[in-house]
């Protein structure tokens, strides 16, 4: 049955009956009460959904109860959220603005029908590229492919920006210590992204470029920052008497100028159906992660994501963690009217995961028109920010606890650390201290505390969720990533916006070109003069 | 004349006449119009204030005009903002909750009266510690002080969290490339902060600990994370056959257990009058920065901050950049009702500067009661977040340009890069591209663009400011830091809150201790069980 036969309706949130019902439930749940009631332990155990790879999404400290959940389920049905997902993975043109399919799920599994585009079975296309990357990585690791002097390559440097940088960088950092502790560490990875020349300089100055492979990542092959940094790197290679064509590979689309180009040792392909911010499981993440940790690690990462994707197809919201997380987020954003959300991983390895989610969420859902280009009359994506705990506790948590606005929180924690090295101080390990803090914070935010001194009182009523698992490893990381990708997708469906384009980045690019061409007047000219341009 | 004789009134913002006037000016200025008018070039030039160390604060793209500025000046007078600053630097107990003076300005200069506390001239006390640090750093750099084998120390590792980590780390990263390019680089600095054991492990695994000096930073000497990480480090030193007492120094208060303690090679002192988030210019930043770059660099950094502090004493808002920035922020937060603010440095060296400002601002002003402990009826500190440009352009700027909420922006840019290395591609250097982008973004946000396709239209009307200068170096960095410290202070005065305590961090600490002691019941027990605690 084709998608169009399924009669999918793309309706604005404000026109849904279930949304009106949801609005009547504003402030319906007092979590301080819920979590201090005699049934609180049962609530903590019951308000849980299994995620992929053994992770669990717990929402006991969210402002929901059976009544709110029932209306969220109605909203999910009325907005046809899982049908829309089905349409997407079966090859519907869901990215309507750019008239493109949205196929990042196919990089990690076949969820539905075979999808053929540009004359190719796309699942086969992505698998072919994974195989090519695995073979290339094996040649590098085994020393079959070496530098000019016959030395092995020790370092891989990714040159890319935005989705070609944030996701792969966050994933690399998430697995670096795990890989070192599990004999899976093959090559150090570094990243050059900013057009600020000091970014490339600093990386090159601290790297033995003679033993480095540089990955140029640009889907179109035209990204200004990335091409500029490529020139920077090529310059350095030439000055060191090295041949760039023996040190550079490309990840790009087959139609870009970087494809089939003798300037690169090898090229791995993605296509227009993978948005930059959804590209960590494509060749964009695949090349650097396979070189750094081996292709098996990357395959496990994909398997974790695939498990999570399968769960996301379930129309029952209490069995579908991404869907449930998305719907609770809608309640928080559009009914409770909270303007921002903090992502707080209690894991130093996830230090850049919030920065990746910031792009994933804000670039996908920071939109003011619906998928038909009509202005909408409700708010969409919140501001996303975050830092690892416990560091954040000693920083911005003050405002989260006692500030004048409520910020919903997303905690992430693991029972075990990655390196297996730990110390016991005052009867507990550091990992236990870390985890004790996350549980304590959830309760402190939810229940607060009265105090005779109002300066020491905590209002409570500040909602949070907790994703937890036994360890951050390739599989759980894949599941975690896919969870958020799917959550953002479902929220985009609810808001009836196109989560897969980013027209908001265009105007700045155009004006920057004008400044560089000195085609300015008025205020733009005056600003350019301030900076001697 | 003593402070009390000056009749300072600590009044709530909502009780000020000028604030009522300001509220009547909601939406008064259309910046799209202002910046496309024939006088726009004049506006860009005129709406500028000189900062310290040659920096400039430009507010031409803020939603202000002469009318709004006049009322902001009235607000400044009515709230006695510069008088309150004067009281603070002359030694008034401005941190009323903790009954403490607030003296971080004295670490970089004497703005007013001599301040005597605990029987000491505090300016002399801070200078003495700076001298002690300079002498110690000189001994390390010259090789007079070496490790057990007589080898020089090459690396300095700071162990601290929150204010003992974020500020010093951001400052180190801000100056690392500058120091390398200017023959001022002495030792590499690393940082251990999180109680996550993998944080310490990862740093220790990548460091030659036999040639490292570890700085333990804790004012009270009781910070759980820091003491745990100290034990972690001592363990590693002992396992390597090294004597911790020959590798560790302390930065602490004179009354802490770390002071006058033979476990440390040397101790440098701060006191209760320096809040953690204001401690970058005290021994907390001084030890690590002087070891990394030499005491002269740290002295220049202090001089830049001192210049900025002197400007902040000026009651004329259009000659006082921190005061003006603070007041415009109040207009944006309390009149325009924008809930968050983004800090966007176009300088990769400032990669962690937004994280530092996040603490500085959110921990200082994320409060719901006034300085007398009374509940206030207006919003205080916004959510602060940010990443360097141009990276952010390829990430969350989509939401900033086309999202449903307006987020005020603070751009920072420099005419020159730090390393002096650059490449010319398509007729412009990378630094020029970087700066062309910042000017383009300001105009894109302010003026927007109409388009027949609403998905490609930009509403504009999104305000921003720009701090710019010729180069990021020790002096300009000091001025930049002090600017934000003073801005946050002035905003705290306007909101009539105590910006110098952080009671909001206490409850979580207490509950975490209960979890570790297994003194839990109810929901807290259930949460602890989820994580096997």
């Amino acid at each position: 049955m084709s998608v169009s036969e399924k009669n999918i309706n793309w309706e604005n949130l404000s026109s849904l009956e279930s949304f009106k019902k949801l609005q009547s439930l504003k402030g319906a749940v007092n979590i301080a009460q819920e979590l201090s009631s005699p049934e609180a332990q049962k609530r903590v155990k019951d308000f849980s959904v299994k995620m992929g790879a053994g992770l669990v999404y717990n929402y006991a400290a969210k402002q929901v109860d059976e009544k709110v959940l029932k209306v969220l389920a109605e909203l999910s049905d009325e907005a046809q959220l899982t049908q829309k997902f089905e349409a997407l993975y079966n090859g519907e043109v869901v990215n309507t603005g750019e008239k493109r399919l949205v196929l990042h799920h196919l990089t990690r599994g076949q969820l539905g029908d075979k999808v053929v585009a540009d004359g190719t079975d796309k699942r086969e296309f992505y698998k072919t590229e994974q195989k090519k990357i695995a073979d290339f990585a094996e040649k590098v690791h085994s020393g079959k492919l070496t530098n000019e002097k016959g030395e092995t390559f020790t370092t891989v440097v990714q040159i890319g920006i935005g989705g070609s940088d944030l996701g792969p960088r966050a994933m690399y950092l998430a697995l670096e210590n795990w890989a070192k502790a599990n004999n899976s560490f093959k090559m150090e990875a570094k990243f050059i992204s900013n057009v600020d020349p000091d970014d490339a300089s600093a990386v090159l100055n601290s790297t033995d470029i003679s033993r480095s492979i540089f990955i140029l990542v640009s889907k179109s092959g035209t990204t200004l920052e990335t091409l500029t940094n490529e020139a920077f790197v090529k310059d350095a290679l030439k000055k060191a008497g090295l041949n760039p064509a023996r040190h550079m590979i490309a990840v790009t689309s087959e139609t870009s100028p970087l494809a089939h180009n003798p300037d690169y040792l090898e090229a791995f392909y993605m296509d227009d159906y993978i948005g930059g911010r959804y590209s960590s499981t494509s060749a964009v993440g695949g090349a650097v992660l396979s070189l750094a940790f081996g292709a098996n690690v990357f395959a496990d990462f994909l398997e974790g994501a695939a498990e999570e994707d399968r769960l996301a197809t379930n129309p029952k919201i209490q069995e579908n963690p991404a869907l449930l997380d998305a719907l609770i987020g809608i309640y928080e954003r559009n009914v409770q009217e909270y303007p921002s959300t903090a992502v707080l991983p209690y894991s130093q390895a996830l230090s850049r995961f919030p920065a990746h989610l910031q792009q994933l969420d804000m670039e996908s859902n920071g939109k003011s028109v619906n998928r038909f280009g009509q202005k909408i009359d409700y708010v969409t994506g919140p501001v996303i920010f975050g830092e690892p705990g416990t560091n954040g506790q000693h920083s911005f948590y003050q405002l989260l606890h006692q500030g004048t606005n409520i910020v919903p929180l997303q905690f992430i924690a693991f029972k075990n650390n990655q390196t297996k090295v730990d110390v016991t101080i005052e009867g507990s390990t550091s990992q236990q201290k870390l985890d004790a803090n996350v549980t304590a914070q959830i309760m402190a935010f939810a229940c607060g505390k009265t105090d005779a001194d109002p300066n020491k009182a905590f209002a409570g009523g500040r909602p949070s969720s907790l994703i937890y698992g036994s360890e951050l490893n390739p599989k759980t990381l894949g599941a975690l990533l896919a969870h958020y990708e799917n959550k953002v997708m479902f929220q985009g469906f609810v808001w009836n916006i196109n989560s897969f384009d980013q027209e908001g980045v265009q105007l700045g690019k155009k004006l920057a070109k004008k400044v560089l061409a000195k085609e300015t007047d008025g205020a733009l000219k005056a600003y350019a003069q301030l900076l001697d341009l």
Side-chain angles (χ1 to χ4, degrees), chain A:
Chain A
M1 186 165 67
S2 88
V3 166
S4 51
E5 288 173 88
K6 286 186 183 170
N7 288 320
I8 285 184
N9 299 311
W10 298 97
E11 304 251 26
N12 281 1
L13 175 62
S14 47
S15 68
L16 303 183
E17 283 307 312
S18 51
F19 181 59
K20 283 162 203 153
K21 231 189 250 185
L22 194 65
Q23 284 176 306
S24 75
L25 294 176
K26 181 166 179 164
V29 180
N30 181 333
I31 46 168
Q33 222 164 60
E34 296 288 338
L35 286 180
S36 42
S37 88
E39 283 79 42
Q41 292 206 356
K42 184 167 153 38
R43 180 181 167 102
V44 174
K45 276 167 204 153
D46 290 352
F47 278 45
S48 261
V49 199
K50 280 187 191 162
M51 297 172 56
L55 295 176
V56 179
Y57 172 72
N58 186 290
Y59 55 102
K62 284 292 189 188
Q63 292 162 325
V64 296
D65 60 7
E66 291 308 331
K67 212 161 52 181
V68 172
L69 289 169
K70 188 168 163 286
V71 180
L72 291 178
E74 288 173 29
L75 176 59
S76 177
D77 290 343
E78 193 182 358
Q80 302 176 297
L81 299 183
T82 50
Q83 289 102 304
K84 285 172 184 168
F85 180 32
E86 194 181 343
L88 181 148
Y89 63 69
N90 281 334
E92 176 91 336
V93 179
V94 168
N95 179 353
T96 39
E98 299 176 316
K99 300 194 175 48
R100 289 175 181 170
L101 315 183
V102 175
L103 300 184
H104 54 274
H105 297 91
L106 275 187
T107 61
R108 50 234 196 185
Q110 184 86 50
L111 283 168
D113 303 342
K114 189 195 276 197
V115 178
V116 178
D118 313 330
T120 317
D121 176 335
K122 295 311 295 188
R123 173 69 185 144
E124 289 307 313
F125 169 73
Y126 298 130
K127 279 166 71 177
T128 302
E129 295 308 309
Q130 284 162 17
K131 180 75 172 55
K132 272 169 60 187
I133 290 171
D135 291 345
F136 179 79
E138 199 281 324
K139 277 200 292 183
V140 173
H141 298 151
S142 66
K144 276 177 225 143
L145 186 78
T146 61
N147 72 0
E148 293 89 338
K149 288 190 190 166
E151 296 166 326
T152 54
F153 290 107
T154 57
T155 306
V156 50
V157 183
Q158 176 112 329
I159 308 170
I161 196 165
S164 305
D165 171 62
L166 288 162
R169 191 194 294 249
M171 301 307 129
Y172 173 77
L173 293 173
L175 295 179
E176 184 182 8
N177 292 327
W178 176 89
K180 284 177 178 168
N182 288 276
N183 289 319
S184 295
F185 191 75
K186 312 283 184 188
M187 297 169 78
E188 191 181 9
K190 298 187 174 190
F191 297 84
I192 296 173
S193 53
N194 203 328
V195 76
D196 180 344
D198 293 346
D199 188 21
S201 279
V203 171
L204 294 176
N205 286 340
S206 65
T207 303
D208 180 356
I209 59 174
S210 75
R211 300 186 68 177
S212 297
I213 290 179
F214 294 86
I215 313 180
L216 189 74
V217 188
S218 173
K219 184 157 64 178
S220 63
T222 62
T223 314
L224 174 79
E225 286 89 341
T226 302
L227 295 185
T228 302
N229 279 321
E230 180 191 26
F232 210 102
V233 166
K234 280 190 170 167
D235 213 42
L237 287 166
K238 284 179 201 156
K239 278 183 185 149
L242 300 163
N243 176 5
R246 291 198 59 169
H247 288 265
M248 302 197 83
I249 63 175
V251 174
T252 189
S253 72
E254 278 193 272
T255 53
S256 103
L258 311 179
H260 311 293
N261 182 327
D263 286 354
Y264 305 96
L265 259 175
E266 186 79 74
F268 304 110
Y269 299 121
M270 61 185 305
D271 57 33
D272 280 343
Y273 315 127
I274 309 284
R277 57 194 174 272
Y278 296 92
S279 68
S280 291
T281 54
S282 78
V284 172
V288 62
L289 296 175
S290 298
L291 283 164
F293 308 133
N296 288 343
V297 167
F298 186 65
D300 284 345
F301 171 66
L302 296 183
E303 180 45 38
E307 263 191 52
E308 191 67 29
D309 289 342
R310 287 190 292 272
L311 295 174
T313 64
N314 191 331
K316 291 182 192 142
I317 71 166
Q318 276 159 291
E319 296 173 12
N320 183 332
L323 180 59
L324 183 60
D325 195 358
L327 289 162
I328 294 173
I330 296 290
Y331 177 71
E332 291 175 335
R333 180 76 172 126
N334 296 94
V335 179
Q336 299 290 73
E337 301 182 76
Y338 303 141
S340 58
T341 293
V343 180
L344 307 167
Y346 276 62
S347 164
Q348 191 62 23
L350 292 176
S351 60
R352 294 300 287 167
F353 194 69
H356 170 60
L357 294 190
Q358 194 172 55
Q359 176 187 25
L360 179 67
D361 202 321
M362 294 173 71
E363 192 166 59
S364 295
N365 290 340
K367 311 279 164 79
S368 298
V369 298
N370 71 11
R371 52 194 306 112
F372 307 110
Q374 295 153 335
K375 189 102 188 138
I376 48 179
D377 57 354
Y378 42 85
V379 294
T380 59
V383 163
I384 304 287
F385 69 101
E387 291 285 336
T390 60
N391 290 9
Q393 292 177 201
H394 295 259
S395 169
F396 54 87
Y397 278 35
Q398 164 66 41
L399 181 144
L400 303 182
H401 278 291
Q402 292 189 318
T404 45
N405 291 115
I406 290 180
V407 179
L409 312 169
Q410 305 221 319
F411 291 106
I412 302 168
F414 302 94
K415 293 178 190 178
N416 303 304
N417 68 322
Q418 292 183 312
T419 62
K420 321 284 184 210
V421 181
D422 207 338
V423 286
T424 298
I425 308 283
E426 291 179 20
S428 59
T429 63
S430 288
Q431 185 65 25
Q432 286 167 333
K433 291 183 182 75
L434 183 67
D435 287 338
N437 272 280
V438 74
T439 59
Q441 290 294 333
I442 292 169
M443 288 301 290
F445 280 114
C447 296
K449 176 172 101 44
T450 53
D451 198 295
D453 177 353
N455 197 31
K456 298 185 181 193
F458 292 74
R462 299 182 180 223
S464 66
S465 60
L466 170 66
I467 290 174
Y468 69 93
S470 73
E471 182 195 69
L472 180 63
N473 58 36
K475 273 203 179 179
T476 53
L477 181 65
L480 196 62
L481 175 75
H483 173 83
Y484 283 101
E485 288 181 0
N486 293 330
K487 174 193 169 178
V488 166
M489 170 193 73
F490 283 128
Q491 292 192 329
F493 290 158
V494 174
W495 287 318
N496 202 29
I497 58 181
N498 179 3
S499 300
F500 304 101
D501 66 358
Q502 54 283 322
E503 291 294 341
V505 308
Q506 297 303 330
L507 178 57
K509 278 191 206 175
K510 272 185 210 159
L511 294 180
K513 277 186 190 160
K514 279 194 181 177
V515 175
L516 290 171
K518 299 196 183 294
E519 291 164 1
T520 54
D521 55 14
L524 184 54
K525 185 171 189 170
Y527 271 114
Q529 283 169 349
L530 297 184
L531 288 165
D532 286 349
L533 290 164

